[in-house]
Structure formats: C-alpha cells, structure tokens
Amino acid sequence: MTDPYYVKGIPEDVASDHFVKASALGGFVKACAVRSTGIVRDAMRYHNTSPSVTAALGRFMTGSLLISENMKNETDTQTTIIKCSGPIGGMTCVCDSSFNCRAYPVNSVIEGDEQINVKGAVGQGTLTVVRDIGLREPYGGQVELKTGGIGEDFTYYLMASEQTPSIVALGVLIEDGTVRHAGGMMVQLMPGYGDKETDYLEKRIHGFPDFTYFLDEGFTPAQILDLFLGDPDIKYLEGAPAAFRCTCSKEKMSSGLITLGSAELLSMAEDKKGIDTECRFCNSKYHFTPEELSKLAVEAR
Ligand SMILES: [Zn+2]
C-alpha cells in the first residue's frame, strides 16, 4: 500500500517546513500549501519581534513563498515589499526558486503589543512584487493593500496584477510568546475554468477553519489540501523543503560598502575602531577594519 499523501521532493520528516503542489478538479485548480513554522520561528529569533510583528511577518513570508512557486531557474529571485502606514512600517521578503526565503520588518517591536492585531500593525499601504527571472528587466506589479491582513492582500494582488482568481489563506499561531504553527495555502483557478469550479471553491472556503488549526491537529500540508479540495482525484505534483536562509557574506557586504563611494569610505577609515555592519535580513554582523575600508576606497574609485 503506497502512502496516498506521498509527494515527490518533500522532506522525510513531514513535521519540518515544506511546500507541496497539487492539481484538482480536472486540472482547473492548482493548489499549493506550505508549512512555515520553523521559518517564522527563525524570523522571530533574528529580529526579536513583538507578537503582532511576528504574526504579520510570518504571514507575509508564507504568502511570499506561495506566490514564488512558479520560479524555475536556480538564479531566479522574487522580492516582495509592503510599505505601510501602521506601526510595523513595512516588510521586505526575498525568495529564491528553491523555497528559501529571508525577510525583515522595518520595525521589529510595537509598543504595548499584547493582543495580536495584524491589520492594526500594517494599516494602509502597498504590496509590490518584483521577479527577477533572467529577463532583461525584472517584472512585477504593485497594488494597494486590501485589508492589511496579508492573505486578502495577496489574493487581491494575484487577481489585479496577475489576473488569476485565487484563494490565499495564511496563518501564524502564537501561544505563550512562541510560534506554535505557521503555514498557508494558495488555491488558483486555471484557464478554462467555469462557474462550476468557482462555485465549488466558494462553498469549500466558507467556514473552512484556519490553516494552523489543521497543523495543530497533526495534518500535513498535503492532507490539508486534500481536506480543502475534497476531490478524490487530487494529484500531488511536487514538493520541496522550505527554509529561512540568508545569503549574506562579508564579500557581499563589501560590494554594498563600495557603492558608498571612495570619499565616504576614506572618512569611515579614519575611525581606528573600524565599522560594524549588520545584515538587515538575519542581523549577522560583519566588522571592517580601517585597513579594509581603505582598500575598499581604492576599489570604489
Ligand atoms: Zn544575512
């Protein structure tokens, strides 16, 4: 008896973070789901976020991963940016084509943040998606935030900017200050769909519990898609591990410093202590001595 929930590519330990993709309703529906608990825990640890920021950033990273699913080449990247009026100030997330992502909030801590309130933390603003897939120019789109709840904002982006009717459901369950579960799903109608498929999905989503409820009950992302779609002919297409992974290095930090220009670098080199730089995505620190700064100043000329 083969495992009906076997998906090629997913990690052996299905309790670890991973992505799955399926097709259903005769191919008129594409459905993706991701477990992102470890990713959101890492983000919380790197950025010391207060609860509403953890929830907002967690939903944002999860949604960003889901919409990155169609990138194919190793060097493809997707950058998602929320600019907003709420106290979080904004968020940036970068995904590669292998479900690795890194992200940071503009403000990690909201004062008096006890009750989780994602919409309150985000407020009004814009969602921008930029994909660099080796074309001459990166491409993407921008929409106004619909509600600031993140899931609805991605749904609106996919419809308005990519003309794909979608359901995006994202969840981060925080208990006693720790991330208990995080994950989400994206269900999309494919070209050729009709009222039958639209009506069916509308009925299915009505009253469907939060994604993290099912994770808490021990269901895997593949099983949650099965529960949602209710199609005995669901086909699991592929899966992959997902992770928070930063790609920063001293070398990349040097390239960033060089863009400041020679004069600026020489003036920084006058400080005998040198300078400390910090990666915005993972808070790794890189020290540059006055000698190193002087060398970079030469390169910047
Ligand atoms: Zn980093």
Side-chain angles (χ1 to χ4, degrees):
M1 183 77 191
T2 52
D3 175 5
Y5 295 108
Y6 170 76
V7 187
K8 186 174 159 265
I10 65 168
E12 207 163 294
D13 175 11
V14 290
S16 64
D17 285 359
H18 66 276
F19 167 91
V20 293
K21 177 151 75 172
S23 162
L25 304 192
F28 289 122
V29 167
K30 177 170 83 178
C32 303
V34 65
R35 184 202 297 276
S36 53
T37 310
I39 290 171
V40 182
R41 283 179 184 157
D42 282 350
M44 183 180 166
R45 199 179 67 240
Y46 286 136
H47 301 296
N48 268 316
T49 44
S50 63
S52 297
V53 179
T54 308
L57 186 64
R59 287 189 201 175
F60 181 56
M61 295 181 86
T62 306
S64 298
L65 276 171
L66 286 167
I67 69 160
S68 79
E69 59 88 18
N70 52 9
M71 292 197 299
K72 288 281 172 278
N73 306 310
E74 214 175 300
T75 52
D76 293 353
T77 60
Q78 170 194 279
T79 304
T80 41
I81 301 160
I82 282 181
K83 287 189 176 157
C84 58
S85 61
I88 196 169
M91 297 180 275
T92 299
C93 179
V94 179
C95 300
D96 69 12
S97 56
S98 310
F99 302 100
N100 296 307
C101 64
R102 56 191 194 273
Y104 66 87
V106 171
N107 299 310
S108 297
V109 174
I110 297 173
E111 290 305 321
D113 186 8
E114 275 154 31
Q115 281 294 82
I116 292 168
N117 180 354
V118 170
K119 288 178 187 172
V122 174
Q124 294 178 322
T126 55
L127 167 64
T128 307
V129 178
V130 180
R131 293 207 182 91
D132 190 345
I133 57 164
L135 303 175
R136 203 138 54 135
E137 296 280 335
Y139 75 99
Q142 185 182 72
V143 293
E144 299 280 317
L145 294 176
K146 200 76 186 162
T147 66
I150 315 292
E152 304 88 333
D153 303 311
F154 276 111
T155 300
Y156 180 60
Y157 168 81
L158 290 167
M159 190 65 216
S161 195
E162 302 189 1
Q163 291 77 46
T164 309
S166 312
I167 293 167
V168 181
L170 309 170
V172 175
L173 181 62
I174 298 174
E175 263 177 23
D176 304 326
T178 59
V179 177
R180 192 168 161 82
H181 295 289
M185 65 177 187
M186 173 177 78
V187 179
Q188 300 191 304
L189 287 163
M190 293 289 101
Y193 73 89
D195 289 346
K196 196 174 125 213
E197 287 79 22
T198 313
D199 293 348
Y200 182 81
L201 290 183
E202 271 171 13
K203 285 204 188 82
R204 300 296 297 186
I205 195 67
H206 185 76
F208 193 73
D210 196 89
F211 196 87
T212 56
Y213 164 82
F214 291 107
L215 292 177
D216 207 34
E217 292 290 308
F219 291 99
T220 66
Q223 288 168 330
I224 299 170
L225 285 183
D226 187 28
L227 283 168
F228 175 72
L229 293 163
D231 175 1
D233 293 325
I234 183 170
K235 280 192 191 67
Y236 293 106
L237 304 173
E238 57 183 329
F244 189 118
R245 189 162 295 156
C246 194
T247 56
C248 65
S249 63
K250 188 155 181 184
E251 202 183 340
K252 284 189 184 171
M253 213 48 103
S254 305
S255 322
L257 283 173
I258 286 172
T259 64
L260 294 175
S262 165
E264 177 71 23
L265 286 164
L266 282 174
S267 102
M268 285 159 83
E270 278 167 29
D271 189 339
K272 286 189 178 55
K273 291 194 295 288
I275 60 152
D276 286 306
T277 60
E278 196 175 279
C279 171
R280 296 201 79 177
F281 289 99
C282 72
N283 288 353
S284 292
K285 288 171 182 58
Y286 297 94
H287 183 75
F288 288 86
T289 63
E291 292 74 32
E292 287 172 318
L293 290 165
S294 307
K295 253 175 87 181
L296 291 176
V298 175
E299 285 182 54
R301 262 190 215 132

